[in-house]
Amino acid sequence: MMDVVRFKRGCCYIVAAMTNPNTSKLLSVATDAARQAADVLMRYYRDGVQMRQKTGGNRTYDLVSDADETSEAVIAKCIRQTYPDHELLGEESLSDGDASAEHLWVIDPLDGTNNFAHRVPHFAISIAYYHQGRPVVGVVLNPVRDELFTAIKDQGAQFNGQAIVTPPAVSLDQVLIGCGFYYDRGDMMKRTLSAIEEFFDRHIHGIRRWGTASLDFCSVAQGHFGGFFEYQLSPWDFAAGQLIVQESGCLITTAKGDELPMQKTSVLAAHPDIYDAMLQITRRHHP
Ligand code: IPD
Ligand code: CA
Ligand code: CA
């Protein structure tokens, strides 16, 4: 969509063209792509697929499969049909996409690969559109439960078409906390565990580690989790979830309290009432 803006300077007018993203079209493309990818994933999930070690290194738990790759190809094709000039950044063959592009799609074609590999029915497709570095549209789809989470900047978040409203006020001793462990272990693992220990000292109701970061963010937005933290995530893990969290009225930053960069980073998402209390803990144990 093209808006023409006129600025008056002295007696002459300057006419500037400003691109204004058509959010309903972007959302429709993102949702369509996620649904096509869901068909791919569910077919592989039903029929079975060979999982492979991802890096060729010694991380036997870092997996990939034809399901991840085909899903990403289907999503890319769908987006490129409508937006051939947009940049794509995705976990598999799109990982060298330019994260600073003006029009950027950030894609995790299968979030929760380890769950998928072990036939745990909890995984998702995550797709976000960023304009000039800011999230504008986010879609997370859980194909097993057919649960669709969407958000548009300044227009709220939805769960299966119903508005997600900010959950009621909470304190740390009234909530479940979600967490994750990135593939790098060692010090990061120890620090995650020491943060968890401190959360238990603060009488939280429990810790959950579901293994699909995009859905963890949706759990914060819905109020199932009072908060979630992980000391390292990639942009495709949080890009869509970030907007869903923000548009639900919750807060999301790095686990040190900074704005999320478009690169590997720690992440803290929380209900506004307990964000500060969580931040003190995640910051203290931050690697
Ligand atoms: C992983 C999941 C997991 C998180 C890892 C991510 P993948 O993504 O989101 O919950 O703890 O850090 O890498 O590899 O399944 O797409
Ligand atoms: Ca992921
Ligand atoms: Ca993935």
Side-chain angles (χ1 to χ4, degrees), residues 29-76:
V29 169
T31 307
D32 192 30
R35 291 216 179 277
Q36 289 187 36
D39 290 344
V40 170
L41 293 185
M42 290 313 289
R43 201 165 55 242
Y44 280 112
Y45 190 66
R46 269 191 310 269
D47 299 347
V49 64
Q50 186 67 44
M51 303 304 298
R52 307 183 293 275
Q53 195 172 314
K54 194 169 196 173
T55 53
N58 55 4
R59 303 200 310 191
T60 53
Y61 41 82
D62 194 354
L63 302 170
V64 69
S65 71
D66 288 354
D68 305 65
E69 291 166 356
T70 312
S71 172
E72 191 180 74
V74 163
I75 294 166

Side-chain angles (χ1 to χ4, degrees), residues 5-269:
V5 184
R6 291 171 194 277
F7 302 100
K8 191 175 181 186
R9 187 184 287 166
C11 58
C12 61
Y13 287 92
I14 299 168
V15 179
M18 203 173 69
T19 51
N20 199 0
N22 179 340
T23 50
S24 51
K25 184 171 166 192
L26 289 158
L27 179 64
S28 147
V29 169
T31 307
D32 192 30
R35 291 216 179 277
Q36 289 187 36
D39 290 344
V40 170
L41 293 185
M42 290 313 289
R43 201 165 55 242
Y44 280 112
Y45 190 66
R46 269 191 310 269
D47 299 347
V49 64
Q50 186 67 44
M51 303 304 298
R52 307 183 293 275
Q53 195 172 314
K54 194 169 196 173
T55 53
N58 55 4
R59 303 200 310 191
T60 53
Y61 41 82
D62 194 354
L63 302 170
V64 69
S65 71
D66 288 354
D68 305 65
E69 291 166 356
T70 312
S71 172
E72 191 180 74
V74 163
I75 294 166
K77 185 174 174 201
C78 191
I79 295 169
R80 282 185 178 129
Q81 269 165 3
T82 313
Y83 300 109
D85 300 335
H86 287 195
E87 184 74 7
L88 307 187
L89 174 67
E91 184 173 7
E92 308 308 337
S93 60
L94 302 169
S95 61
D96 56 1
D98 176 8
S100 67
E102 182 183 2
H103 300 282
L104 176 70
W105 293 79
V106 190
I107 302 157
D108 194 337
L110 169 49
D111 190 28
T113 293
N114 250 304
N115 284 344
F116 190 89
H118 295 282
R119 306 201 55 73
V120 176
H122 188 78
F123 49 87
I125 299 118
S126 174
I127 302 174
Y129 166 77
Y130 277 57
H131 183 232
Q132 295 174 341
R134 303 267 164 212
V136 173
V137 162
V139 166
V140 174
L141 175 63
N142 175 339
V144 178
R145 296 165 66 104
D146 194 24
E147 292 184 341
L148 179 70
F149 300 86
T150 60
I152 298 179
K153 176 81 184 135
D154 297 330
Q155 293 179 40
Q158 296 198 332
F159 168 58
N160 284 345
Q162 301 294 314
I164 300 177
V165 286
T166 314
V170 286
S171 55
L172 255 191
D173 59 3
Q174 291 175 318
V175 297
L176 288 175
I177 298 289
C179 70
F181 306 95
Y182 196 71
Y183 290 99
D184 298 333
R185 297 187 176 174
D187 185 53
M188 191 170 311
M189 181 72 84
K190 289 198 188 85
R191 287 173 177 273
T192 306
L193 293 173
S194 61
I196 289 172
E197 201 176 347
E198 191 171 345
F199 279 120
F200 275 121
D201 289 344
R202 299 289 300 274
H203 310 293
I204 59 166
H205 283 190
I207 282 283
R208 296 291 181 271
R209 195 287 193 253
W210 294 147
T212 303
S214 57
L215 291 174
D216 292 326
F217 293 121
C218 296
S219 292
V220 174
Q222 289 187 296
H224 301 164
F225 291 166
F228 165 85
F229 76 102
E230 183 158 350
Y231 282 131
Q232 188 159 301
L233 283 173
S234 295
W236 40 81
D237 297 314
F238 63 78
Q242 173 180 13
L243 191 62
I244 293 166
V245 166
Q246 287 169 335
E247 289 297 319
S248 74
C250 294
L251 302 175
I252 183 164
T253 60
T254 71
K256 283 180 170 168
D258 301 319
E259 192 177 332
L260 286 175
M262 195 36 96
Q263 60 191 43
K264 277 186 181 174
T265 177
S266 64
V267 184
L268 166 64

